[in-house]
Amino acid sequence: MNTMVLLENVSKRFGSTVALQEVNIEIFAGEFLTFLGPSGCGKTTCLRLISGFERPSTGRVILDGRDVTGDPPYLRDVNQVFQTYALFPHLSVRDNIAFGLRMKKLPLAETRERVDKIIEVVSLDGLADRKPSQLSGGQKQRVALARAVVCQPKVLLLDEPLSALDAKLRHQMRLELKSLQKRLGITFVFVTHDQEEALAMSDRIVVMNLGRVEQIGGATEIYHRPATRFVASFIGDTNIVEAEVLGTDDGKILCRLEGGLQVLVRARNAPPDGKILVSLRPEKIRIHKTRPPGENVFRATVISEVFKGAVDDLTLRTEGGLELGVLDTNEGSDEVEFDVGEDAWCRIHPDDVIILGG
Amino acid sequence: MELERTIPASRISPPPAPARGWPGLLRLVHLSLAGWTWAVFAFFYIPILLLAVYSFNDSKLNIVWQGFTTKWYGLLFENRVLLEAFRNSLIIGAVTTLAATALGTAGAWILHRYRYPFAGWIGLLIFIPMVIPEVLMGVSLLSLFSSLGVPRGFVTVIIAHVTFCFPFVLIGVQARLDGIDPFLEEAAMDLGATPWQAFRLVILPYLLPAVVAGALMAFTLSLDEYIVTLFTTGSQSQTLPLKVYGMAKVGLNPQINALSTLFVAATILLVISGELIKKARSR
Ligand SMILES: Nc1ncnc2c1ncn2[C@@H]1O[C@H](COP(=O)(O)OP(=O)(O)O)[C@@H](O)[C@H]1O
Ligand SMILES: [Mg+2]
């Protein structure tokens, strides 16, 4: 895979605010990469470093093999879809879309051809002569998208482009964006604070917090094998439990959790020692009426239960006093139910106990 | 300027329909408000109307109607002194409008776009020429010009006019900038426009209604300015208001009526077309 963008040891300070610290990110040609993190973590700053609206305080920005750290935005082969769309209000849809090509001084005939083509691709047929003020939110979004991709940029940057849309349209646009990206083969760099959006669309996700990269990986990797406490708790719900390493045995680590419960953990890297943090996803803890076979089986009491349709949201307390959230899927209609106060057998597979770093 | 002054009155009219079933008191209030509005209109417009009517009066005196004539208009167009003053006013008005519009627009954009120390204070200072008494401004400019040894003439009047006109342009443009999409300029630059191209091709068209309105305002202000002009002009650059006042002191002349009628008509046309452009553009 070719590298399209490289952020190399990039730091960015605004006065005394440190927006980015020693960030290293490699973006591959043709991938859909998402920056995910809470508000203020530096996602927009990353995009603006790539588009050229900000310069890094230290470090380099490499675009398609060329150092563009000092280049102004209008000299970079990168286009952006802005959160507010920023359509030019005095220009028609067609002229908005043609703007970039006109700046590049493309021949008129080619400009026309490419604009017509992209209008079709983003299903804006029949709206070409309208002004932006005569468009709905979803249509504006498409114009902003068309205006950027018609320039055939090396990278398309999208800063929370769906956040201004209503929920239904947002879900539809997710799919459209993803399929558009597949069809055009353009590298998409997407920014969102919405984990669902990130998980649904991305080839890879960069999880950020407080100006640092916490983890880079595919959606399933980030969900199932979070690298840090932040990633584990930011993406989905989880139980984060302090633990102490007791020993190693046959590729597994024996840990004692808070409250005294002892569990086996699959060792992925070099076994850590001393105090650690582990993550136990609620849906990975299985509960039974009778004692199941296998490892990591323990008893706990149901202390609360909320029926949520597809799942029961339970809280259990172990004999040692450790409280765990558990999701019990309601697969069959004759599903065994647990009442508050009842004792249950719990089991978690050693693969599903995740040791967190950082 | 007559049109300008009536704006507060027109704001209270028309009164909202009284709530059904309310006692007569509210109706009375509404009626008297409507009456007041019309009285204000009458107060402003009847003199102008009379002026226009008497410009067609076949008498040297304004008081008695003698019959219809257009001879005052004929005489007016042969009146060298007035025509020259009119030409001077147009030159000063045109140059002032260009300079004040450019300065006001650029100023508003720079204040909006860039951060720098004391921005708040600079923003305030700019409006002083709008509110300072015209006499003070006239005197201060006069003493500035004479201490610099600048001879009074077109240049000094134009500088003076630009000084009090450009804040009006700036305010209008600033109001429009308040509602601008913060990423408009970046979007243009993102698509390959240099900062100057972004301003010319995207920001300026967006600001155009406010710029045109500001230009019309500047032109109108310059055209009928009296006091500041009096202090800063020279003998070769007498403007129409100065000449008209000079003539009126000697005695009322129907030619002045004719001239004023033309002036009011032109002003009304300008203001209306300005409003129309603004409406059409902002749609
Ligand atoms: N132009 C700026 N001036 C000062 N501080 C800024 C500027 N841009 C961003 N920041 C700060 O940098 C941090 C990261 O901001 P940003 O990249 O916009 O976060 P995100 O997009 O993840 O919400 C925030 O603390 C923000 O306040
Ligand atoms: Mg942001």
Side-chain angles (χ1 to χ4, degrees):
Chain A
M1 266 183 293
N2 294 330
T3 303
M4 185 51 88
V5 182
L6 199 60
L7 296 181
E8 212 176 68
N9 287 321
V10 168
S11 297
K12 178 67 186 173
R13 280 180 299 277
F14 295 102
S16 60
T17 316
V18 180
L20 290 178
Q21 271 188 78
E22 292 289 313
V23 166
N24 282 289
I25 298 168
E26 185 179 12
I27 303 173
F28 300 120
E31 78 170 327
F32 194 125
L33 181 106
T34 300
F35 284 94
L36 173 66
S39 171
C41 71
K43 307 180 296 289
T44 297
T45 305
C46 278
L47 273 203
R48 293 173 66 82
L49 287 168
I50 299 172
S51 60
F53 289 111
E54 303 289 356
R55 307 238 166 122
S57 307
T58 60
R60 298 198 305 163
V61 181
I62 313 285
L63 175 64
D64 200 15
R66 204 164 63 85
D67 185 340
V68 295
T69 313
D71 289 359
Y74 45 90
L75 295 182
R76 298 189 187 194
D77 253 353
V78 165
N79 288 106
Q80 187 168 347
V81 174
F82 292 85
Q83 196 172 356
T84 57
Y85 310 138
L87 301 181
F88 307 135
H90 63 293
L91 297 180
S92 65
V93 166
R94 177 185 302 285
D95 290 336
N96 261 282
I97 297 174
F99 191 91
L101 302 181
R102 293 198 176 131
M103 288 299 105
K104 284 187 180 157
K105 302 216 161 54
L106 239 66
L108 283 182
E110 192 185 343
T111 301
R112 212 186 154 72
E113 193 181 313
R114 270 164 73 171
V115 169
D116 284 343
K117 176 116 186 297
I118 207 77
I119 284 180
E120 208 184 298
V121 170
V122 298
S123 337
L124 280 168
D125 324 53
L127 301 177
D129 296 320
R130 293 221 188 149
K131 289 282 174 65
S133 59
Q134 298 165 309
L135 299 176
S136 72
Q139 290 165 343
K140 284 183 192 167
Q141 164 87 71
R142 286 164 209 266
V143 178
L145 202 60
R147 185 177 69 174
V149 296
V150 78
C151 302
Q152 299 174 350
K154 288 181 172 151
V155 182
L156 183 73
L157 307 170
L158 305 104
D159 193 352
E160 314 221 7
L162 307 184
S163 62
L165 304 178
D166 62 54
K168 191 163 167 244
L169 204 51
R170 199 156 59 224
H171 281 83
Q172 183 192 335
M173 283 305 292
R174 269 185 207 168
L175 302 176
E176 283 191 26
L177 271 181
K178 180 75 191 164
S179 82
L180 185 72
Q181 189 261 342
K182 282 242 170 71
R183 254 183 302 160
L184 299 176
I186 296 176
T187 312
F188 273 37
V189 178
F190 188 90
V191 159
T192 184
H193 62 268
D194 182 339
Q195 43 152 318
E196 241 188 80
E197 222 165 79
L199 295 175
M201 296 196 292
S202 323
D203 295 325
R204 288 192 309 149
I205 300 172
V206 179
V207 186
M208 295 189 62
N209 187 34
L210 299 173
R212 292 177 186 279
V213 174
E214 295 271 336
Q215 188 174 4
I216 304 180
T220 50
E221 182 186 348
I222 279 184
Y223 183 81
H224 292 299
R225 290 193 297 283
T228 66
R229 175 185 193 142
F230 175 81
V231 177
S233 56
F234 188 73
I235 295 163
D237 285 325
T238 193
N239 299 289
I240 292 182
V241 182
E242 282 177 25
E244 193 183 347
V245 176
L246 300 177
T248 322
D249 167 38
D250 187 22
K252 289 179 189 153
I253 305 168
L254 184 64
C255 295
R256 181 167 54 224
L257 305 186
E258 301 169 53
L261 189 64
Q262 296 200 0
V263 292
L264 282 168
V265 183
R266 169 92 59 223
R268 290 205 165 76
N269 303 316
D273 33 55
K275 299 256 179 227
I276 57 169
L277 281 178
V278 298
S279 159
L280 312 166
R281 292 278 184 205
E283 74 277 16
K284 299 279 172 68
I285 303 175
R286 299 306 179 85
I287 61 171
H288 306 266
K289 293 266 179 183
T290 54
R291 185 186 176 111
E295 299 158 311
N296 292 350
V297 174
F298 56 95
R299 269 181 89 67
T301 312
V302 178
I303 57 173
S304 80
E305 191 231 342
V306 179
F307 176 68
K308 286 188 172 170
V311 292
D312 278 335
D313 191 345
L314 306 166
T315 309
L316 282 84
R317 186 187 292 131
T318 66
E319 281 154 0
L322 174 66
E323 286 188 11
L324 293 170
V326 175
L327 284 182
D328 184 27
T329 51
N330 292 329
E331 288 144 319
S333 52
D334 57 344
E335 184 67 20
V336 269
E337 301 227 348
F338 290 88
D339 295 322
V340 173
E342 201 177 329
D343 279 348
W345 286 100
C346 305
R347 175 167 184 255
I348 184 154
H349 196 279
D351 282 349
D352 294 332
V353 183
I354 308 296
I355 298 177
L356 302 174
Chain B
M1 288 320 289
E2 280 74 11
L3 259 178
E4 284 304 313
R5 283 197 212 103
T6 58
I7 283 175
S10 65
R11 278 211 192 110
I12 54 172
S13 170
R20 200 181 287 266
W22 260 72
L25 183 66
L26 200 65
R27 266 182 70 85
L28 203 68
V29 169
H30 283 150
L31 274 178
S32 50
L33 272 179
W36 170 249
T37 307
W38 286 110
V40 170
F41 268 118
F43 184 74
F44 284 125
Y45 284 108
I46 284 176
I48 296 173
L49 213 63
L50 281 179
L51 191 92
V53 169
Y54 281 116
S55 72
F56 297 104
N57 187 7
D58 195 3
S59 156
K60 247 190 145 16
L61 297 172
N62 257 341
I63 310 121
V64 213
W65 181 259
Q66 295 267 327
F68 182 85
T69 179
T70 55
K71 73 173 176 198
W72 304 120
Y73 288 87
L75 282 173
L76 174 67
F77 286 110
E78 284 159 20
N79 188 330
R80 279 268 168 72
V81 179
L82 276 185
L83 283 183
E84 189 173 317
F86 183 56
R87 197 204 61 185
N88 289 348
S89 275
L90 283 186
I91 292 171
I92 292 167
V95 179
T96 297
T97 302
L98 282 178
T101 307
L103 216 66
T105 307
W109 174 244
I110 288 166
L111 282 174
H112 172 85
R113 173 68 178 75
Y114 299 93
R115 305 263 155 272
Y116 42 83
F118 308 115
W121 286 106
I122 293 172
L124 272 180
L125 276 177
I126 282 171
F127 299 114
I128 287 184
M130 284 173 75
V131 293
I132 196 173
E134 290 174 30
V135 178
L136 279 186
M137 189 162 161
V139 171
S140 63
L141 282 168
L142 174 60
S143 55
L144 174 75
F145 291 140
S146 45
S147 70
L148 290 176
V150 183
R152 282 186 287 158
F154 279 103
V155 174
T156 49
V157 192
I158 288 170
I159 290 175
H161 281 201
V162 170
T163 310
F164 70 79
C165 284
F166 94 89
F168 287 92
V169 180
L170 194 141
I171 290 190
V173 174
Q174 231 170 17
R176 186 139 174 93
L177 278 172
D178 278 346
I180 198 172
D181 183 321
F183 294 111
L184 222 45
E185 189 197 16
E186 288 194 354
M189 281 162 64
D190 184 71
L191 292 164
T194 61
W196 167 242
Q197 283 175 319
F199 180 76
R200 191 165 54 86
L201 299 174
V202 174
I203 304 299
L204 203 54
Y206 170 81
L207 296 178
L208 200 62
V211 172
V212 171
L216 287 174
M217 185 76 160
F219 188 66
T220 324
L221 283 171
S222 165
L223 217 55
D224 74 2
E225 169 56 43
Y226 182 81
I227 300 172
V228 175
T229 316
L230 189 64
F231 280 97
T232 51
T233 199
S235 56
Q236 296 307 305
S237 53
Q238 295 284 305
T239 62
L240 202 57
L242 296 187
K243 270 284 179 296
V244 168
Y245 186 65
M247 284 168 69
K249 264 196 303 199
V250 181
L252 288 173
N253 181 340
Q255 280 181 48
I256 296 177
N257 284 12
L259 181 69
S260 310
T261 306
L262 290 177
F263 234 97
V264 168
T267 309
I268 290 175
L269 271 178
L270 272 180
V271 171
I272 290 175
S273 55
E275 284 301 310
L276 287 182
I277 291 172
K278 209 154 93 177
K279 281 227 180 74
R281 268 301 192 151
S282 54
R283 225 181 281 130

